[in-house]
Amino acid sequence: AEEFTDLPESIIHWNKVMEIDPTDAIAQNSLEFLLRGEERWEDLAALYKTMISVKTDEAEKREIRGKLGEILNMLGLTDDALQQYEDILATEPKNLEALQALQPLYLERAMFDKFEEVAKAALPLVEIEEAQTIRCHLARVIGLEMERQEEGIQFGKDYLIL
């Protein structure tokens, strides 16, 4: 096999392989590594979208959607990132990575019902320190933003007890 030491040339090579066979795992992994190393985030997002479209295993798709969501969020494409994480939860409702990633995205959009849903779903899956942080956020959101003061106070008390 020919070795490429010029990274842009290697990327061109692996893109050609992907054009011929988008299911080629070696090409997918090589491109992912090279694009990440070169910080070519838009190209990496496009690669992840292609990988999602050709994968048949739901667990693999979820993993790639998580990576894609992270890249899209970093690029400021938060609506698209949010969709990726919601798609993960559609097939795995207790996916901690997606539950955690959605919390700030929902808060930024004042989607408090959705925030409450994912925050409560994450509580039994996290360590006690993170549970305290989530309870604190829930107390504020439920009590102040959603105007359910008694329930917000209870989350505040639970936060103090932990």
Side-chain angles (χ1 to χ4, degrees):
E2 186 178 347
E3 288 199 30
F4 295 92
T5 53
D6 180 25
L7 292 180
E9 187 66 32
S10 296
I11 291 169
I12 291 168
H13 166 77
W14 288 115
N15 273 322
K16 287 179 183 175
V17 174
M18 287 290 292
E19 287 173 20
I20 296 166
D21 182 7
T23 64
D24 187 303
I26 294 171
Q28 291 172 355
N29 293 335
S30 298
L31 261 177
E32 180 181 16
F33 175 79
L34 292 167
L35 293 172
R36 194 172 277 283
E38 291 287 293
E39 298 182 1
R40 289 177 52 179
W41 307 122
E42 291 88 357
D43 293 334
L44 185 57
L47 172 65
Y48 286 150
K49 289 176 184 177
T50 299
M51 291 169 67
I52 290 167
S53 73
V54 299
K55 296 285 184 186
T56 55
D57 181 79
E58 283 302 320
E60 284 183 279
K61 284 185 177 190
R62 280 191 300 272
E63 181 183 339
I64 297 165
R65 283 186 191 287
K67 293 177 183 181
L68 177 57
E70 180 184 328
I71 297 296
L72 293 171
N73 196 24
M74 186 181 67
L75 291 171
L77 302 170
T78 55
D79 289 340
D80 295 332
L82 187 137
Q83 186 60 57
Q84 293 304 314
Y85 294 123
E86 287 180 340
D87 288 349
I88 291 170
L89 292 184
T91 60
E92 186 185 355
K94 293 186 179 193
N95 183 291
L96 185 57
E97 177 187 342
L99 291 169
Q100 291 170 320
L102 282 168
Q103 290 173 49
L105 293 172
Y106 286 148
L107 282 177
E108 290 167 7
R109 289 165 176 70
M111 298 171 71
F112 301 124
D113 290 335
K114 291 279 200 177
F115 167 77
E116 179 184 11
E117 183 182 323
V118 296
K120 285 181 176 178
L123 276 175
L125 306 174
V126 298
E127 299 293 327
I128 193 161
E129 295 82 15
E130 188 172 349
Q132 285 183 301
T133 302
I134 292 171
R135 286 182 188 284
C136 183
H137 288 300
L138 278 166
R140 182 185 62 79
V141 168
I142 291 171
L144 297 176
E145 306 294 347
M146 299 175 80
E147 298 180 358
R148 294 177 4 225
Q149 284 81 13
E150 290 301 318
E151 193 177 345
I153 289 168
Q154 188 56 52
F155 269 102
K157 288 180 181 176
D158 291 347
Y159 167 76
L160 293 174
I161 292 169
L162 291 176

